[in-house]
Amino acid sequence: MTEREKMLAGKLYDASDAELVQLRSLARRYRMEFNQGLDSTKRSKLLKSWFGSTGNQIYIEPNFACDYGCHIYVGENFYANFNCTFLDVCPIRIGDNAMLGPNVQLLTPLHPLEANERISGMEYGKPITIGDNFWAGGGVTILPGVSLGNNVVVGAGSVVTKSFGDNLVLAGNPARIIKILDLP
């Protein structure tokens, strides 16, 4: 397996691998172009060519940060407010009709707990998967390996450390269910 294949599979990988360094360098150029761009149509067009896939309607406010970008998959009617960070060493998949408040962080990277292994530079990750009709309030952090179902709302400032199903309002640190939504 290549280091990129290991990374995407959630196995230990070497982030200093030449292919990964090149992909991160390309992402830096895209981020700079995106974050300095004033034309929202051009910014959306750049996201459509950069991300793994998007719906037709995608809008992200600057400043946006990510590791690679090409491992991010978002559905139709995607909106992210200012200063969102998507660390995509593993895939980040979000369904249709998502709204993310400012300063939302979706974090897939993990580092070994054992110090010598961590110091060696090896790392790994776990994907994040989110269903349709998602809303994250400002400052929400979603940690590696989390899956959320459809119709999930996460309250501002919450830290989501584990997976949850459909039709829920989550809040807190760590996030917990505070309401079950009655949807038709």
Side-chain angles (χ1 to χ4, degrees):
M1 293 179 89
T2 67
E3 295 304 307
R4 183 178 184 192
E5 289 169 336
K6 290 177 192 174
M7 178 182 79
L8 291 171
K11 299 178 184 287
L12 281 174
Y13 72 95
D14 180 0
S16 68
D17 174 72
E19 178 188 15
L20 295 177
V21 170
Q22 183 179 10
L23 283 171
R24 287 193 307 272
S25 178
L26 178 62
R28 282 186 181 96
R29 286 196 300 273
Y30 286 153
R31 282 195 321 261
M32 188 169 74
E33 182 180 342
F34 176 85
N35 288 325
Q36 293 179 356
L38 297 177
D39 185 327
S40 62
T41 302
K42 287 182 182 177
R43 286 197 321 264
S44 291
K45 186 176 179 181
L46 174 61
L47 293 171
K48 289 176 187 180
S49 69
W50 178 16
F51 283 11
S53 68
T54 73
N56 189 46
Q57 298 294 328
I58 179 171
Y59 191 90
I60 298 178
E61 297 282 3
N63 283 318
F64 172 73
C66 66
D67 281 322
Y68 298 95
C70 58
H71 307 135
I72 298 169
Y73 306 85
V74 300
E76 189 61 52
N77 297 319
F78 181 84
Y79 175 79
N81 211 318
F82 296 100
N83 300 317
C84 287
T85 300
F86 293 9
L87 298 186
D88 60 319
V89 303
C90 279
I92 296 173
R93 298 181 187 282
I94 304 172
D96 294 340
N97 306 311
M99 295 188 337
L100 283 67
N103 303 306
V104 167
Q105 299 180 77
L106 306 180
L107 310 175
T108 68
L110 289 160
H111 300 279
L113 295 177
E114 199 276 315
N116 287 332
E117 195 173 28
R118 186 173 57 253
I119 292 166
S120 77
M122 298 298 285
E123 54 188 68
Y124 66 106
K126 291 184 181 178
I128 292 173
T129 304
I130 299 170
D132 294 338
N133 310 316
F134 176 66
W135 176 23
V140 165
T141 300
I142 298 179
L143 296 183
V146 167
S147 292
L148 298 175
N150 295 321
N151 308 309
V152 172
V153 176
V154 182
S158 298
V159 179
V160 184
T161 61
K162 65 181 184 177
S163 297
F164 290 93
D166 297 337
N167 308 321
L168 300 170
V169 178
L170 310 173
N173 182 3
R176 61 181 168 63
I177 298 170
I178 61 167
K179 183 175 185 173
I180 297 172
L181 299 173
D182 291 325
L183 298 175

